[in-house]
Amino acid sequence: MADCLFCKIAAGEIPSNKLYEDDTLLAFYDIDPQAPVHFLIIPKQHIASAAALTEADAALLGHVFAVAAKLCRDLGVEEKGYRIVSNVGEDGGQSVKHLHFHVLAGRSLAWPPG
């Protein structure tokens, strides 16, 4: 999508602090971290939110979670734990209309989140 912030980041039009990249995904550090470790994982393909996912996206979602686990291992936060969040819609706190997953770690994460 031409006006999507995350599509522009995925295309390299807007710089990001990249943590991981392959043909389908990009992971980069959040510009407003809410934990000592806070990064986003986005598909390069524009998908508006988790509400737009279908069964055909199963492999993509499996890849997202496998990459999250690998990055958390690499960053040394796997043992103590981490949280993966995908906000959907305005009431769910979604501010960028592109599917993305927040990965937060490095501190105790209370529940409920807010």
Side-chain angles (χ1 to χ4, degrees), residues 40-100:
L40 304 178
I41 300 176
I42 65 168
K44 290 184 174 180
Q45 168 193 355
H46 183 81
I47 300 170
S49 75
L53 293 169
T54 69
E55 293 287 334
D57 297 307
L60 173 68
L61 289 176
H63 187 46
V64 166
F65 280 83
V67 167
K70 177 202 178 314
L71 293 175
C72 286
R73 276 192 304 277
D74 293 349
L75 292 168
V77 297
E78 177 187 41
E79 186 176 318
K80 290 203 70 166
Y82 53 93
R83 178 176 292 163
I84 301 173
V85 178
S86 183
N87 301 320
V88 179
E90 184 179 334
D91 282 354
Q94 185 179 9
S95 59
V96 178
K97 306 301 184 214
H98 184 116
L99 177 65
H100 58 286

Side-chain angles (χ1 to χ4, degrees), residues 4-78:
C4 173
L5 173 66
F6 287 170
C7 285
K8 289 178 181 180
I9 291 172
E13 297 170 19
I14 296 175
S16 66
N17 188 1
K18 291 181 188 177
L19 186 58
Y20 175 89
E21 183 173 18
D22 64 23
D23 292 342
T24 58
L25 299 179
L26 175 66
F28 55 95
Y29 286 101
D30 195 290
I31 62 169
D32 183 25
Q34 302 300 304
V37 173
H38 185 175
F39 60 89
L40 304 178
I41 300 176
I42 65 168
K44 290 184 174 180
Q45 168 193 355
H46 183 81
I47 300 170
S49 75
L53 293 169
T54 69
E55 293 287 334
D57 297 307
L60 173 68
L61 289 176
H63 187 46
V64 166
F65 280 83
V67 167
K70 177 202 178 314
L71 293 175
C72 286
R73 276 192 304 277
D74 293 349
L75 292 168
V77 297
E78 177 187 41

